[in-house]
Amino acid sequence: MRYRIQVIDCTLREGEQAAGVWFSVQEKLELVDALAGAGVRFLDAGMPGIGPDERAFLRAAVGRTEAKIGASVRARADAVQLALDCNVDEIFVICPVSELHRQKRLGLSERALEARVTSLVETIKEAGKVCNLVAEDASRAQLPVLIHALGRSLEAGADRLLLCDTVGTWTPSLTTQTVTAVRAAFPTADLGVHCHNDFGMATANTVAAIEAGCNFPTATINGVGERAGNASLIEVALAAERLLGRETRVDHDTLRA
């Protein structure tokens, strides 16, 4: 099945995690305008928990353009409430799915984390917002555990599933294997990926994911992002269109300018 691609831009959130990068509220709003002008319709725009300036920006960005404004949150009720208070269009719930992250970072059992995430997804949906379940460290999770977690999130009402290569350990072949398996398990779900560039393969892995059935890839302007960066927006859009024949509706000339 061939899907039209909807690129989610993460520059406003991931970009500021790059060393030496900082945007003022006004600069962020200008980036929102520029991205929307280039045809990008989904923005993972920030984390409300960072502070008052971040929340002020998110409130100002909502409804400013045609682009939907999303906020990323940790899997906690207080973090979700901060995002709801900003009236964002979408919320990205970051949920660790690898045993390492779940046990070492959160100290939770699979059942306890599942119950927490189910409650958060239900809260978001009751508020009338789009819910994106972000499977953190999916590239190092056991596939049956990953698929079970994703399935429970869909049952709770999640609108999209995003697979994260949090520490950049995927290769294109491993990306293809994982996305193919998840797509087979959830053939009608909106499916995204979020790839990091620690080994220089973020864009290649993202393109492999699109080829395997991902329809909501994430990327950033020039690949800017945490540590070595993320997939490059213009490279992902061009590869999807010119190499895979998928429609993105991203204006390449505007991005290049």
Side-chain angles (χ1 to χ4, degrees):
M1 184 179 296
R2 299 176 72 82
Y3 300 88
R4 182 161 73 87
I5 304 305
Q6 298 279 8
V7 180
I8 300 173
D9 182 83
C10 301
T11 305
L12 293 158
R13 180 179 68 81
E14 282 280 4
E16 279 204 318
Q17 295 185 58
V21 176
W22 177 82
F23 303 119
S24 68
V25 170
Q26 184 56 40
E27 287 171 332
K28 287 184 178 183
L29 291 173
E30 290 171 3
L31 280 168
V32 169
D33 294 345
L35 286 162
V40 179
R41 291 294 175 262
F42 298 90
L43 306 181
D44 177 4
M47 298 188 77
I50 288 176
D53 285 350
E54 189 85 338
R55 294 191 288 275
F57 155 66
L58 289 169
R59 292 188 187 98
V62 173
R64 181 182 176 94
T65 69
E66 294 182 51
K68 299 297 183 182
I69 301 300
S72 282
V73 300
R74 297 294 178 187
R76 300 196 314 265
D78 59 337
V80 168
Q81 189 57 54
L82 283 176
L84 292 176
D85 291 344
C86 292
N87 197 34
V88 292
D89 302 301
E90 308 197 358
I91 297 178
F92 294 79
V93 179
I94 302 171
C95 172
V97 289
S98 69
E99 184 176 3
L100 176 66
H101 274 219
R102 176 177 54 77
Q103 290 186 345
K104 299 297 184 182
R105 283 185 46 220
L106 300 183
L108 295 176
S109 66
E110 285 184 45
R111 182 170 296 182
L113 181 58
E114 180 180 303
R116 179 189 292 190
V117 172
T118 296
S119 176
L120 295 177
V121 172
E122 291 173 347
T123 297
I124 293 166
K125 294 308 298 176
E126 288 170 3
K129 304 299 183 181
V130 173
C131 179
N132 299 270
L133 190 284
V134 181
E136 188 177 25
D137 209 28
S139 52
R140 296 192 294 179
Q142 295 180 349
L143 190 57
V145 173
L146 172 63
I147 289 177
H148 175 76
L150 297 175
R152 289 294 293 120
S153 299
L154 285 174
E155 290 170 9
D159 296 283
R160 297 191 202 106
L161 308 173
L162 274 76
L163 309 178
C164 273
D165 182 20
T166 301
V167 293
T169 59
W170 259 342
T171 63
S173 61
L174 288 173
T175 305
T176 297
Q177 290 174 25
T178 304
V179 174
T180 297
V182 172
R183 175 54 74 198
F186 311 108
T188 62
D190 281 331
L191 181 60
V193 291
H194 182 73
C195 296
H196 283 263
N197 205 41
D198 297 73
F199 289 93
M201 290 185 285
T203 296
N205 289 337
T206 302
V207 174
I210 294 170
E211 195 167 27
C214 159
N215 57 322
F216 277 85
T218 69
T220 64
I221 296 171
N222 296 330
V224 65
E226 184 181 14
R227 301 189 311 277
N230 297 84
S232 165
L233 174 60
I234 195 165
E235 290 174 356
V236 167
L238 278 170
E241 292 187 0
R242 305 294 171 82
L243 302 182
L244 303 180
R246 311 296 172 87
E247 182 184 9
T248 69
R249 297 186 181 176
V250 171
D251 187 333
H252 313 132
D253 291 335
T254 299
L255 280 178
R256 188 172 61 245

